[in-house]
Amino acid sequence: MGKVLIIGAGGVGTVVAHKVAQNPDVFTEIMIASRTKSKCDAVVKAIGNPNIRTAQVDADNVDELVALFNDFKPEIVINVALPYQDLTIMEACLKTGVNYLDTANYEPKDVAHFEYSWQWAYKQRFEEAGLTAILGCGFDPGVSGVYTAYAAKHHFDEIQYLDIVDCNAGNHHKAFATNFNPEINIREITQNGRYYENGQWVTTQPLEIHKDLTYPNIGPRDSYLLYHEELESLVKNFPTIKRARFWMTFGQEYLTHLRVIQDIGMARIDPIDYQGMKIVPLQFLKAVLPNPQDLGENYEGETSIGCRIRGLKDGKERTYYVYNNCSHQEAYKETGMQGVSYTTGVPAMIGAMMFLKGLWKRPGVWNVEEFDPDPFMEQLNKQGLPWHEVFDGDLEL
Ligand code: NDP
């Protein structure tokens, strides 16, 4: 059915490559390209499908991307490199007539700030080119938006309160490690918290608000209010929402390490002079921390991510909780990667599948909740991320 190019061969890229290869009826030709070609070759070897092509590309460089796209001629690019590369890849897509999908919104390297405006600004150009761009198609953002759209379509006349809850109850047996790219992860967590209430954004100190939330099959976990990018698009696309928040669990050990990292300046993203060289402390820290890709083997436990929603149906208040639990070990057995990479990579593959099947094909730049959630929800059940629903339970929020 279609030719796909995956950019990025990290934890998420590895999962995307496995899942794309498992669906040969949809993805007829596959290439994986990244900064380090040997990593792409290793992924192909692990999958055991010699027909998958590999290439080296610097995705910060539009000309290199254009040359690669013109050579392989993909129908869609799955961008699972880093958020810094979103705009260069979108530019290259426009220059070569290729459709686009990513899992994280653009961030400039020198400011720890993310918002959709930079990518939404491409809407008209994608429309005029007749190309589709699907933004934020991992788990959160991604499935969190699809869950919300599904709730709005089937279970509510009006969604009023939305809480996205993200629990990682896994144990990787390392003193400190991040579950995805450490640089991106630490930038995200050390920012101010932010949530939406009554038409306004409320800012909090980093990790200032937290409470115990109970996760299915896991139990209570301390959950911290963070700003997360899908809040921005969800309150825009579902204007009845009165309050939208995002919560993520952290253990005390993790938070203590994080505080020390910040206190000693290792979370800084401005370049410093070190023996005549410019280095960015957070990038140096990434080089010495465990590689998230290597956590899978000894990772126990599971993740649980879902949406807790309160609103109106037929004039009555109702609550709804839709979630997925994903076992780190099961993810590792299938793809060699842990659950956080798995829960991101599977939806990215499904998004590309939706596009190639013509179900999510619409010129312009879109967030996932703007498409029909039903075929995506159906695939989640088939592709390893089954979901469960609780009606009129206690949301705790
Ligand atoms: P990794 O750091 O493991 O992998 C990133 C990959 O991108 C590496 O292969 C890296 O190459 C490659 N890369 C980086 N810069 C360039 C460049 N300039 N040109 C070409 N390739 C480049 O990250 P993850 O796999 O953990 O995360 C991938 C993406 O997924 C991130 O954007 C992250 O924010 C997003 N994510 C989204 C989630 C969601 O639920 N929506 C959850 C988790 C992650 P090299 O190996 O040479 O460094």
Side-chain angles (χ1 to χ4, degrees):
M1 199 182 270
K3 252 182 166 183
V4 64
L5 170 63
I6 303 159
I7 301 184
V12 179
T14 303
V15 173
V16 173
H18 273 84
K19 299 305 288 192
V20 157
Q22 285 173 16
N23 288 277
D25 52 325
V26 176
F27 303 100
T28 44
E29 282 181 70
I30 306 165
M31 177 187 268
I32 176 160
S34 192
R35 187 165 48 191
T36 316
K37 184 173 176 290
S38 57
K39 291 195 184 173
C40 306
D41 294 331
V43 174
V44 173
K45 196 166 164 225
I47 295 173
N49 177 345
N51 294 329
I52 302 175
R53 288 174 58 183
T54 61
Q56 195 278 331
V57 72
D58 176 3
D60 288 321
N61 183 322
V62 177
D63 292 339
E64 272 192 34
L65 290 164
V66 166
L68 179 70
F69 293 4
N70 281 335
D71 172 49
F72 183 59
K73 300 197 173 16
E75 276 157 68
I76 186 163
V77 168
I78 301 179
N79 167 17
V80 280
L82 297 180
Y84 314 134
Q85 280 87 45
D86 289 2
L87 301 187
T88 43
I89 298 176
M90 289 176 85
E91 281 293 342
C93 283
L94 284 167
K95 283 186 194 292
T96 53
V98 174
N99 300 281
Y100 174 87
L101 178 144
D102 68 28
T103 66
N105 70 7
Y106 174 69
E107 259 183 77
K109 274 189 187 140
D110 51 351
V111 206
H113 179 76
F114 46 88
E115 61 175 54
Y116 276 117
S117 63
W118 285 294
Q119 291 183 276
W120 284 343
Y122 281 77
K123 192 173 182 78
Q124 198 182 344
R125 289 173 69 198
F126 270 78
E127 250 166 40
E128 284 167 6
L131 295 172
T132 303
I134 302 170
L135 305 186
C137 198
F139 206 106
D140 45 348
V143 177
S144 53
V146 175
Y147 281 169
T148 306
Y150 186 79
K153 182 172 173 183
H154 296 287
H155 302 309
F156 288 93
D157 297 325
E158 200 175 293
I159 292 185
Q160 296 177 326
Y161 299 94
L162 168 67
D163 285 283
I164 300 165
V165 293
D166 179 332
C167 171
N168 182 1
N171 182 0
H172 46 52
H173 303 284
K174 306 263 183 211
F176 181 83
T178 62
N179 294 293
F180 65 95
N181 185 284
E183 189 185 329
I184 304 299
N185 194 199
I186 292 172
R187 280 164 67 119
E188 173 180 288
I189 296 165
T190 51
Q191 287 195 34
N192 283 335
R194 205 159 159 241
Y195 64 97
Y196 179 86
E197 190 159 41
N198 297 327
Q200 298 200 341
W201 291 99
V202 183
T203 302
T204 71
Q205 290 302 305
L207 309 179
E208 178 189 339
I209 298 179
H210 60 109
K211 66 183 291 182
D212 263 0
L213 297 176
T214 310
Y215 296 89
N217 204 36
I218 292 167
R221 286 286 192 281
D222 207 3
S223 307
Y224 290 77
L225 187 145
L226 295 186
Y227 179 59
H228 226 240
E229 61 201 59
E230 65 263 53
L231 297 178
E232 185 185 6
S233 67
L234 286 167
V235 299
K236 177 171 159 269
N237 290 320
F238 297 96
T240 58
I241 291 181
K242 294 182 186 187
R243 189 186 64 208
R245 301 179 294 192
F246 183 96
W247 304 83
M248 189 178 275
T249 60
F250 299 107
Q252 278 313 310
E253 261 299 279
Y254 182 93
L255 293 176
T256 304
H257 277 83
L258 192 67
R259 199 176 66 243
V260 173
I261 285 168
Q262 279 183 289
D263 287 351
I264 61 175
M266 286 305 292
R268 281 174 60 174
I269 60 169
D270 53 317
I272 57 146
D273 279 316
Y274 176 73
Q275 297 187 342
M277 257 185 310
K278 292 260 182 238
I279 61 165
V280 174
L282 184 55
Q283 287 173 2
F284 176 76
L285 179 70
K286 173 184 183 278
V288 295
L289 283 176
N291 183 345
Q293 276 173 264
D294 300 334
L295 298 176
E297 194 172 0
N298 297 312
Y299 222 135
E300 298 161 353
E302 57 190 334
T303 62
S304 180
I305 317 176
C307 292
R308 299 187 184 186
I309 301 173
R310 184 189 303 276
L312 298 177
K313 179 73 178 172
D314 300 328
K316 286 201 200 104
E317 185 167 276
R318 88 154 3 160
T319 72
Y320 176 66
Y321 180 18
V322 53
Y323 67 91
N324 160 265
N325 275 29
C326 176
S327 146
H328 287 292
Q329 265 312 302
E330 291 303 315
Y332 178 73
K333 276 188 224 149
E334 186 185 331
T335 62
M337 295 295 130
Q338 34 83 358
V340 176
S341 303
Y342 189 86
T343 53
T344 310
V346 173
M349 178 280 288
I350 298 175
M353 174 190 272
M354 293 296 106
F355 171 78
L356 289 173
K357 286 185 168 180
L359 298 166
W360 283 20
K361 190 172 190 174
R362 198 191 308 157
V365 173
W366 309 99
N367 293 88
V368 291
E369 66 270 18
E370 296 176 89
F371 294 103
D372 182 4
D374 292 357
F376 194 104
M377 292 292 274
E378 196 184 311
Q379 285 299 323
L380 284 171
N381 281 333
K382 291 184 182 158
Q383 304 286 345
L385 294 176
W387 42 277
H388 312 277
E389 300 175 300
V390 180
F391 291 91
D392 296 322
D394 175 9
L395 297 184
E396 305 174 293
L397 289 160

